[in-house]
Amino acid sequence: LSRKVAKMLQETLVHPLVCLPRMSKRRGEKRMENTIRVLKIEPGKAPYVKEMENDYRASQREVGGLIDCFGFGDGCIAVLNDESKINGMEPNRRCRDDIICGPFFICGDGRDGDFMSLTDEQIEHYSKQFAEIEQFSGQEPELEPRMTFIAF
């Protein structure tokens, strides 16, 4: 291997779904935070701030399975269980035109796709947005698993 490729492999932890930079610091280089401050939202509970490890497995533990992410367009993302509806997880909160099932958390989105800590302002904004503990009948059409196929 070339030195450049070997160095790149040393500086990257490889997972089948994501590549996360190592959590060490070098002079003049900004690295991913070891722990991040997130807003955790669980069914039937008020949102709360939580400090968590900043790695793939910790994210999976927080949502109870495989992760999926979607952005809010303001530098924040929701991290949720990709199979929550298929696995019958409890409905949690409405978001956009869907219902998120199971626990999820909101964190900052770095330029390189890294998860980052939320600012106090972001925590305040999303704490208000998801403050209402919603009641669901179980009959909502959004609770049905669905897929969208896009053909080219």
Side-chain angles (χ1 to χ4, degrees):
L1 293 175
S2 73
R3 285 185 181 179
K4 186 175 181 179
V5 172
K7 184 178 178 183
M8 189 173 70
L9 289 173
Q10 282 180 331
E11 293 178 355
T12 305
L13 296 174
V14 179
H15 184 277
L17 298 176
V18 293
C19 289
L20 299 173
R22 279 193 188 210
M23 294 175 223
S24 62
K25 288 190 176 183
R26 278 187 158 158
R27 205 170 60 152
E29 209 174 75
K30 187 168 182 173
R31 291 295 192 163
M32 187 169 74
E33 302 171 74
N34 290 328
T35 59
I36 54 173
R37 190 170 65 145
V38 303
L39 188 67
K40 180 86 181 258
I41 299 126
E42 298 183 74
K45 294 184 181 179
Y48 60 92
V49 177
K50 180 172 185 171
E51 190 90 10
M52 63 174 270
E53 293 176 45
N54 191 10
D55 65 39
Y56 184 75
R57 292 197 192 286
S59 297
Q60 285 185 308
R61 282 192 301 272
E62 291 298 326
V63 301
L66 299 175
I67 66 169
D68 190 14
C69 304
F70 69 84
F72 290 105
D74 62 354
C76 294
I77 57 174
V79 181
L80 50 117
N81 186 307
D82 188 40
E83 301 174 323
S84 60
K85 291 180 182 178
I86 295 169
N87 293 337
M89 294 180 117
E90 185 178 351
N92 189 342
R93 300 293 200 283
R94 289 183 185 276
C95 187
R96 298 181 180 155
D97 61 347
D98 202 0
I99 296 173
I100 298 174
C101 293
F104 69 100
F105 65 89
I106 299 171
C107 63
D109 183 15
R111 290 184 213 172
D112 297 329
D114 296 336
F115 292 170
M116 298 174 56
S117 289
L118 292 173
T119 65
D120 291 338
E121 293 79 20
Q122 291 167 328
I123 289 170
E124 183 179 346
H125 172 78
Y126 286 105
S127 292
K128 287 178 184 175
Q129 181 174 333
F130 293 106
E132 183 182 342
I133 299 171
E134 300 183 56
Q135 301 297 315
F136 298 97
S137 67
Q139 303 302 313
E140 292 84 359
E142 302 94 336
L143 291 175
E144 291 297 316
R146 64 181 188 262
M147 281 188 196
T148 303
F149 293 95
I150 300 171
F152 295 95

